[in-house]
Amino acid sequence: MQPSDTIQETLNTPVTGRYDVIVVGGGASGTVAAIAAARTGARTLLVERGGCLGGAATANLVAQWVAFFHGETRVVGGIPFELAERVQAAGGSDGFHRYVMGEAAGTPFPLRVLPFNPETVKWVLDGSVNEAGVEVLLHTTFARALVRDGAMAGVTVETVQGRLALLAPVVVDASGDALVCASAGVPFQDDGGERQPCTLSFRLSNVDVARFRAVPSDQRRALVLGGLRRGELFWESLSFVSTPGGTDAICLMSRIQDIDALDARDASRAEREGRRQIASIVGFLRREIPGFENAILADVAERVGVRETRRIRGRHTLSEEDIMQARSFEDSIALGAGPMDRHQPGGTGIRLYAPPQPFEIPLRALLPVDVEGLLVCGRTLSATREAMAGARHMATSMAMGQAVGTLGAIAAAGGRRPANVPASEVQQRLAQAHALFRREQVAPQGQPA
Ligand SMILES: Cc1cc2nc3c(=O)[nH]c(=O)nc-3n(C[C@H](O)[C@H](O)[C@H](O)COP(=O)(O)OP(=O)(O)OC[C@H]3O[C@@H](n4cnc5c(N)ncnc54)[C@H](O)[C@@H]3O)c2cc1C
């Protein structure tokens, strides 16, 4: 939405809180960042625009955590793994499953995932932030970064009470869209090309999941290609996550192209186009797919799922070569597992391939250039487009969150700038918290994981 003119506004915004660390965005990475910061002793505020925590996992109905495992080797520990265990203990998941990503696509990819009921994740996260002592503001939208002399001083937010100012020397941008970074003037990656398409997910109940799983994969692919030819489907996918109980299927089958999710009109068009596609997909499933004959549309995600917007320019830019050549970093703070996962912009395919080993993510990729006291985690890390496609999964995003939350708290406690805290201090804390961040922790040197 391009401006036709500008107006001047003068605001007197009340300061209503002072913290050590403010986390903007209560999604995968931000919720874990806030828990880590609070457990490390910081007075922590978590700000989320929606009515629940979890981000893509809950608001977008992306109901499976990917990238805890590289092959059969677990590469994410610490708080994310603890949350995975809590979701299972609360009855929201029946554990890690083998799953084929891109099922019915040209490059199906088998991996281990944790499928869950998003409703259980919501209350598990509520309980975990509460226990850690994090203050949470839901229905609170980030408005503007407060920057003084090149360093973060806090944020302003819009709430039901109006606009408020909240102060902190450390702010974690976990908004998925690098909104705080944009407002603070951080530069972004500018490597051209098209962003990945968006997906509006939906949930069907009264599905005979076992009957569907019994359909041979070549038959599924033939059915999908038929649906695509007739314009009833939108990409090569019969992608379902089944929640415990085997009666529901959460479907990631819409594909909304040519959307700039940072443009207000485009973001609005994406929701309406997503619903149009869902109406067509549900008709196709009921008519064509064994097990879906009596399916009932139970839910549509409250927001369209956005795979890609901004990636910051940080002190290191993670590249595809870093990942595929298994480069080691002195300041590694998280391990990614992949897969490298690129939904074809403008097309109906998906490109999935595996990093040869778990890959290391350096702390420098989470430190924006120029602005002090600002940290990022999740899908906006400093990475090339290809590298981000392998690092954006939720388990990896949560691991990044634990690292920056820990760093933010250490920095605030010592009155230091995060960039001046040696990575070894963060690594020491992460190790105490059972986080995994070096390849040697999961695979002896020289051996593939
Ligand atoms: C359709 C789709 C399918 C995917 N499939 C999988 C999968 O199967 N498994 C997997 O592990 N990953 C999957 N991913 C990737 C993964 O979900 C994301 O990359 C991951 O969630 C990124 O974590 P994040 O913390 O950066 O962002 P998010 O989890 O999106 O969290 C960002 C949070 O910031 C909040 N926010 C945004 N703006 C503001 C604001 N102005 N003020 C306050 N809060 C704000 C949002 O409401 C949200 O809660 C998928 C993604 C999509 C879109």
Side-chain angles (χ1 to χ4, degrees), residues 36-50:
R39 286 188 185 175
T40 313
R43 196 160 168 235
T44 306
L45 174 72
L46 177 56
V47 168
E48 165 56 44
R49 73 177 161 185

Side-chain angles (χ1 to χ4, degrees), residues 24-30 47-50 52 54-57 60 62 64-67 101 140-143 174-177 179 198-199 201 252 303 305-307 341 377-380 392-395 397:
V24 173
S29 65
V47 168
E48 165 56 44
R49 73 177 161 185
C52 65
N60 302 141
V62 177
Q64 56 182 10
W65 281 327
V66 168
M101 200 178 229
T140 299
T141 302
F142 164 79
S175 64
D177 293 329
L179 296 171
C198 301
T199 292
S201 312
L252 282 66
R303 274 177 190 278
V306 176
R307 291 187 174 83
D341 169 7
C377 49
R379 68 179 166 89
T380 51
R392 67 190 178 88
H393 306 293
M394 287 187 273
S397 295

